Amino acid sequence: MDSPSPKPLYVPGQVPERRFSDEELVWTAEEQQRIDGWVAQYPTSDGAVMKVLWLAQEKFAWLPAEVIKFVAETLGLPYAKVFGVATFYTQYYKQEMGTWVLDVCTCFACQLCGGYDMLHYLEDQLGITKGETTEDGMFSIQEVECLGACGSAPMLQVTNGPYIHNLTAAKCDTLLAGLRAGKVPAFESVTLPQDEDDLGGNRRSDAEAVEAYQTPPVSETIE
């Protein structure tokens, strides 16, 4: 499936359409207390920007321009500085997303092990391309940079939550069916192969699910 050029978030010279009014852009007393506590942990308010952006995303579901500006004003920072942080990380949503966001890692390790194969498989199954949301609002797909699980490549993350390791087409099918039924996959603990014997197979005793190391596949597109 061909991937179209991404739609720009903002066009220079044009004021972005607002999605939240000034009346909605307020913190509760409890939220402001949390923000004050985070700011107090750092020499300057810059240090709290990621936590406050995260709080804003939890509150508003995503980060349109006026919400980023709200965070900047809260911390007394230039808008451009907060915008730079928000747009650097794919974990911050700059557009409305589906109920479930599938972040497919296509960084170097996952790319070699089939990350793009899995991305394109999900695009085919959902009838959308990366950066889009299904018409029913249930699924969004993102292509993301390294999520720090190279040893279990290819992999994806569900809505900034659980990882799906050692991804296959069958696992994608199971994941989509489960999410459509409202079933969120459990956190999977993966133990490094050199530790499996010493730790009896897995380091975590409190994990709902475990995954063993597997020799990663090679992308179907690599000859």
Side-chain angles (χ1 to χ4, degrees), residues 16-161:
E17 179 184 357
R18 290 194 62 154
R19 306 301 295 270
F20 297 97
S21 66
D22 287 339
E23 289 71 26
E24 293 173 293
L25 295 174
V26 294
W27 301 114
T28 66
E30 186 272 338
E31 290 165 346
Q32 187 60 58
Q33 186 177 28
R34 293 172 65 189
I35 293 170
D36 292 343
W38 293 330
V39 171
Q41 294 174 345
Y42 302 97
T44 64
S45 61
D46 305 51
V49 65
M50 294 185 70
K51 289 182 177 178
V52 181
L53 279 171
W54 200 258
L55 179 65
Q57 180 160 286
E58 290 178 342
K59 184 181 183 76
F60 300 104
W62 63 297
L63 303 174
E66 64 270 24
V67 173
I68 295 176
K69 182 172 181 285
F70 176 48
V71 170
E73 292 172 347
T74 297
L75 295 173
L77 298 174
Y79 172 82
K81 192 166 195 174
V82 181
F83 178 82
V85 175
T87 53
F88 181 82
Y89 296 98
T90 52
Q91 288 82 0
Y92 295 122
Y93 302 146
K94 277 70 67 179
Q95 61 186 26
E96 289 188 273
M97 306 297 270
T99 303
W100 305 110
V101 181
L102 306 179
D103 287 334
V104 184
C105 178
T106 56
C107 211
F108 189 66
C110 279
Q111 183 179 140
L112 288 176
C113 298
Y116 278 113
D117 300 336
M118 296 298 99
L119 174 66
H120 296 323
Y121 181 80
L122 285 167
E123 289 176 332
D124 289 342
Q125 295 303 305
L126 295 174
I128 58 176
T129 59
K130 62 182 180 180
E132 294 183 337
T133 299
T134 54
E135 289 187 359
D136 62 4
M138 182 164 283
F139 295 102
S140 299
I141 301 177
Q142 291 196 117
E143 176 186 5
V144 301
E145 292 296 315
C146 185
L147 293 171
C150 306
S152 55
M155 57 80 63
L156 66 75
Q157 185 178 27
V158 181
T159 319
N160 289 332

